[in-house]
Amino acid sequence: MNLRKPAFSALFVCLLGAGFSGIASAASPNDAATLGKIRDAAMQSDYSYQRLEDLTDLVGPRLSGSLGGAAAVEQVAAAMRALGAKVTLQPVKVPHWVRGEEKGELVDYKGRPANITQRVVLTALGGSGATPATGLTAPIVVVRDFDELKARAAEVKGAIVLFDVAFDQGMADRGLAGNAYGQAARYRSNGPRMAAELGAAAALVRSVGGADYRLPHTGATNLKDDQRIPAAAVTAEDAMLIGRLMKRGPVRMKLTLTPQTLPDADTFNVIADLPGTDKSDEVVIVSGHLDSWDLATGAHDDGTGVTTSMGVIETIKKLGLQPRRTIRMVAWANEENGLKGGNTYYEAHKDKLEKQFAAIETDGGVGRTFGIMGSVRGEAEKYFAPVSNALLPIGAGVFNRRDSASGSDVHQLEAGGVPSFMPYVDTSAYFNYHHTPADTFDKVDPVNMKKHVAVMSALAWYLANTDDPIGRSPEPLK
């Protein structure tokens, strides 16, 4: 999951009454019976859960440019071919960053017993530069916002800067997980760059996430080639330890990070089409990103996004249904540290965006699904009542309209006018695992995953067959 996320907080939009007589007639492919069959078929299938197990247990981590990333492309493409989908591998050039040794140690602080040092649990951030192989030792400067960083510029030069900004789990528990993530993650993305500009020797960031079990949370930075100072995330517990020790007096750390930034690598977006009939040149995208960070197997971020999208194709194929518009499953490359997959797709289609009818991306894990978020104009909201009604029996009947509802990979499409959608998901626990070694298959609830597939399948089918004027996205590209 990248920084470009919608806020997960919103007031629930009142569901239109079940008696809405709207657009779906008995003869329509979008009638209640068909939508109900799609929902039920998804709820009875373990296909996506099995594909997730294959992806996480057999392939494992899938950072862009890695052997795991290449193996994942082949695995997903083979599974889609086995379903009879038309598979295209779209070439994408991606960053290739490789993690090396990572070690932190507090080597001097007031009151330190003789011969005692303390280990700091940390992990390099994407794009981090390297220390000397033997490490570097420098004083730590703790700051709590960018204003304090600038005010203490004289102290920062030659020091290790720690941005000690806590993730607000209280916000996440109240439906504002995306907001909480954005508030803290800006220090991860921009802090190392700003510290480098002031001459810092290295930068540390308090891990961005909940569940403080001394887990480091990695993620991307905005460091450029001429700014690549060593940069790492430290656990919340270690950030608090350093803060307490700083109250006693100066603290020095020995930091060893040996990542490498290699030449860009070749990979692919995996595109699998279920061709339409009379409107086959128009496309409804269902998607997730195939890459993951290298600390774990990327189950929630974003193995579930890819495999539930695969489940949409499986559900509709199993029922013997054929959509009017083409339903296109996309497993995006390089969402985590570059967005090259989404950018490449946009560049290939930007001159004919009117043929991109709608785009669904899921990249928030598979917590409980409440329904759908969509970037449609207010007047088009009423057209989605049949989908909401079909999803009511599984507790997913909310339609939440947004001016922007896109994930990172389809944001350019949305900005170009393509209506975008994502499942409306409880993300209160999502950042417990996000970008950590704990994002593994066992954390995924299979029933929630089935509901996720049901929501996406019903929505994708509905969009692929509607005749109604859902219009273009409320945020045209400026």
Side-chain angles (χ1 to χ4, degrees):
M1 184 185 209
N2 199 281
L3 282 180
R4 204 295 168 189
K5 298 292 177 190
F8 287 100
S9 62
L11 294 175
F12 280 71
V13 175
C14 292
L15 179 64
L16 296 175
F20 177 80
S21 59
I23 57 167
S25 68
S28 167
N30 280 336
D31 62 15
T34 302
L35 292 170
K37 287 179 181 177
I38 290 171
R39 175 201 65 220
D40 293 345
M43 291 300 297
Q44 294 164 10
S45 176
D46 290 319
Y47 177 84
S48 290
Y49 194 63
Q50 291 168 350
R51 299 292 75 74
L52 179 65
E53 186 175 10
D54 290 346
L55 185 63
T56 56
D57 287 2
L58 302 183
V59 174
R62 306 174 298 281
L63 190 60
S64 293
S66 69
L67 293 175
V73 166
E74 292 302 320
Q75 186 188 88
V76 171
M80 290 290 90
R81 291 188 187 103
L83 287 180
K86 179 183 177 183
V87 174
T88 303
L89 299 181
Q90 182 182 35
V92 183
K93 187 74 75 171
V94 297
H96 190 188
W97 178 85
V98 180
R99 188 179 304 279
E101 182 181 4
E102 40 194 32
K103 183 187 299 182
E105 191 176 17
L106 302 180
V107 295
D108 196 19
Y109 48 88
K110 187 175 181 180
R112 179 178 66 91
N115 302 317
I116 295 295
T117 62
Q118 294 203 54
R119 177 180 176 238
V120 172
V121 178
L122 52 75
T123 190
L125 296 173
S128 168
T131 66
T134 55
L136 68 83
T137 301
I140 298 176
V141 174
V142 178
V143 300
R144 289 171 178 81
D145 56 40
F146 293 134
D147 289 338
E148 185 179 0
L149 174 73
K150 294 173 185 176
R152 300 176 66 184
E155 299 173 64
V156 165
K157 188 171 183 180
I160 298 172
V161 177
L162 168 60
F163 293 89
D164 187 10
V165 180
F167 177 80
D168 192 335
Q169 185 60 43
M171 289 181 68
D173 290 340
R174 289 159 179 81
L176 299 171
N179 301 75
Y181 178 70
Q183 287 178 180
R186 65 195 183 110
Y187 292 96
R188 186 196 71 211
S189 59
N190 295 319
R193 173 184 58 79
M194 294 176 68
E197 290 170 353
L198 294 175
L204 305 176
V205 180
R206 180 168 170 162
S207 284
V208 183
D212 294 337
Y213 295 116
R214 219 176 181 201
L215 282 172
H217 296 238
T218 193
T221 68
N222 289 330
L223 287 167
K224 307 302 181 186
D225 286 341
D226 60 348
Q227 304 167 329
R228 291 196 188 280
I229 61 172
V234 301
T235 68
E237 293 88 344
D238 287 295
M240 290 187 280
L241 167 64
I242 292 169
R244 292 194 301 272
L245 291 175
M246 290 290 293
K247 292 178 181 178
R248 297 173 180 262
V251 177
R252 292 176 65 84
M253 171 185 276
K254 181 177 180 182
L255 177 67
T256 306
L257 298 175
T258 61
Q260 298 178 69
T261 299
L262 303 175
D264 286 355
D266 295 310
T267 189
F268 304 91
N269 287 329
V270 181
I271 299 173
D273 285 347
L274 181 59
T277 54
D278 60 307
K279 294 181 178 289
S280 62
D281 61 333
E282 298 181 13
V283 174
V284 173
I285 294 170
V286 291
S287 65
H289 68 82
L290 189 52
D291 62 314
S292 78
W293 282 105
D294 55 328
L295 298 184
T297 58
H300 276 287
D301 187 20
D302 186 30
T304 54
V306 170
T307 55
T308 54
S309 297
M310 295 166 70
V312 172
I313 303 297
E314 191 267 346
T315 298
I316 294 171
K317 287 282 289 185
K318 180 169 55 181
L319 291 172
L321 299 172
Q322 187 170 12
R324 297 180 66 196
R325 295 181 180 88
T326 295
I327 297 177
R328 172 169 291 170
M329 194 288 300
V330 185
W332 304 106
N334 182 232
E335 188 271 351
E336 293 293 3
N337 62 337
L339 294 172
K340 300 298 186 182
N343 293 344
T344 298
Y345 186 91
Y346 173 79
E347 288 298 321
H349 295 280
K350 65 182 180 181
D351 294 332
K352 292 186 177 180
L353 286 182
E354 71 279 1
K355 297 298 183 182
Q356 305 294 306
F357 186 78
I360 306 167
E361 181 173 6
T362 175
D363 185 16
V366 287
R368 179 185 169 183
T369 306
F370 301 117
I372 298 161
M373 292 193 296
S375 63
V376 295
R377 298 184 185 278
E379 61 270 24
E381 188 178 324
K382 62 181 179 291
Y383 296 126
F384 292 88
V387 183
S388 294
N389 291 337
L391 296 171
L392 272 173
I394 61 170
V398 173
F399 186 87
N400 184 247
R401 196 207 71 79
R402 301 283 183 92
D403 285 341
S404 177
S406 67
S408 301
D409 296 290
V410 303
H411 179 58
Q412 286 194 78
L413 295 174
E414 182 186 60
V418 179
S420 297
F421 303 84
M422 63 170 52
Y424 190 7
V425 178
D426 176 6
T427 55
S428 59
Y430 175 69
F431 293 103
N432 293 350
Y433 310 120
H434 172 263
H435 294 187
T436 77
D439 189 8
T440 49
F441 178 73
D442 54 284
K443 307 304 189 306
V444 175
D445 182 287
V447 175
N448 280 342
M449 192 166 185
K450 290 178 181 180
K451 291 181 179 180
H452 209 85
V453 178
V455 167
M456 293 174 64
S457 298
L459 176 60
W461 176 259
Y462 186 83
L463 290 166
N465 290 285
T466 186
D467 282 323
D468 291 278
I470 66 169
R472 305 303 278 172
S473 171
E475 285 193 344
L477 186 65
K478 294 180 175 64

